[in-house]
Each structure stands twice: as structure tokens, then as C-alpha cells.
Amino acid sequence: MIKIKLTEKNINLTKIRTYQFDTLKIGNDPELDLILKAEGIPRVHSILQIKEDSLVVIGNHSTAYYFVNGKKFTGQRSLKPNDCINIENFDIEILEFKRTEISNKSQFLKDQYLDAQEKDGRVSSLIDVIGQEIMKIEESRNDV
């Protein structure tokens, strides 16, 4: 679980967001977890990832830089709560993070599966993919 405070400075908009997984992809691509719409931000700019007990930001391109607490970085950098990542006109403050247990992921996927199944029959292929992921998680949990 990764919880952030996202501020878009040019329109003075702040949102608190919580992501239930251990990896968060950031960039200009509408398929990503955190979409930052601004000129100069690549499709996939960086990734936030929980590794063991720490959170790291990983720059996706050698030319993609970011600031952490006002200092410029490329590549990978460890983060802690209250650290602030700046990418163009966006500030991403790390509020908290916690490694997601497999059982939590499984329950989240099950909830998403049931919700999608109830709402719209046109998403059957997506539902099948989610169902397969649930089965993989359950199998890996039983192997432990």
C-alpha cells in the first residue's frame, strides 16, 4: 500500500490517494497508476516500489530526472514518509507505505472481480484475467 498527497501546483489542486499494491507507475500514459499530464513528462517517467521495508523511486529513463526534497536525482533513490518528489509542476508527498500482504491483494482482486462482473458483461475478458491472477495468488499463498 502506498499513500501519497498529490499536488498539481499550476492549478493549486491537492488530492490524497491510496494505492493498494506495492508498485506504482508514474507518467503521462493514461494506462498508468498515477497519470501526470504535462509537457515534458514521458509516458513512463518513474516507478515507486516497496522493496522489503523501504520505498524507492526508480527513474525510468536516464534523461528523466526528479527532485526529492529539492535535490535533483536520476535513477533510484530511497524514500521515507514526508519526502516530497517533484516532477515538473507536480509534488508527490509520501504519506505512508506498507508492504501489501498476499491475502490483502487476493481480497482486493476478488472484490474487483465481483464488482466488474455485476456492472458490465462487456468486460468478460478483463474479468477472466483478474480471475486467473486471483488463482495464481491463492496458489502461491497455499505453497508457502
Side-chain angles (χ1 to χ4, degrees), residues 42-56:
R43 266 185 6 83
V44 180
H45 180 278
S46 50
I47 298 169
L48 290 178
Q49 186 173 35
I50 299 173
K51 292 186 174 183
E52 298 187 21
D53 291 334
S54 65
L55 180 68
V56 295

Side-chain angles (χ1 to χ4, degrees), residues 82-138:
N82 300 316
D83 278 349
C84 186
I85 303 165
N86 174 263
I87 303 170
E88 299 290 334
N89 59 324
F90 296 92
D91 285 337
I92 304 166
E93 182 180 346
I94 306 303
L95 298 179
E96 64 179 292
F97 60 91
K98 179 174 64 171
R99 190 164 198 78
T100 306
E101 297 299 322
I102 289 177
S103 60
N104 292 343
K105 288 180 185 177
S106 177
Q107 187 59 50
F108 175 77
L109 287 172
K110 282 179 184 177
D111 293 345
Q112 295 299 310
Y113 176 85
L114 293 172
D115 188 47
Q117 198 173 35
E118 286 176 13
K119 286 183 178 176
D120 192 344
R122 294 177 295 168
V123 294
S124 61
S125 63
L126 176 61
I127 290 172
D128 289 342
V129 170
I130 292 170
Q132 291 169 6
E133 290 301 313
I134 290 170
M135 289 173 53
K136 287 179 190 175
I137 290 171
E138 290 294 334

Side-chain angles (χ1 to χ4, degrees), residues 24-82:
L24 176 66
K25 292 182 181 179
I26 303 168
N28 204 359
D29 187 325
E31 298 294 319
L32 298 181
D33 304 305
L34 179 55
I35 304 160
L36 304 179
K37 288 289 184 189
E39 202 170 305
I41 296 178
R43 266 185 6 83
V44 180
H45 180 278
S46 50
I47 298 169
L48 290 178
Q49 186 173 35
I50 299 173
K51 292 186 174 183
E52 298 187 21
D53 291 334
S54 65
L55 180 68
V56 295
V57 58
I58 305 164
N60 199 41
H61 302 292
S62 60
T63 58
Y65 64 89
Y66 53 89
F67 291 85
V68 176
N69 303 326
K71 295 181 182 176
K72 187 176 179 177
F73 293 96
T74 59
Q76 183 171 312
R77 168 101 176 135
S78 290
L79 302 169
K80 59 189 181 309
N82 300 316

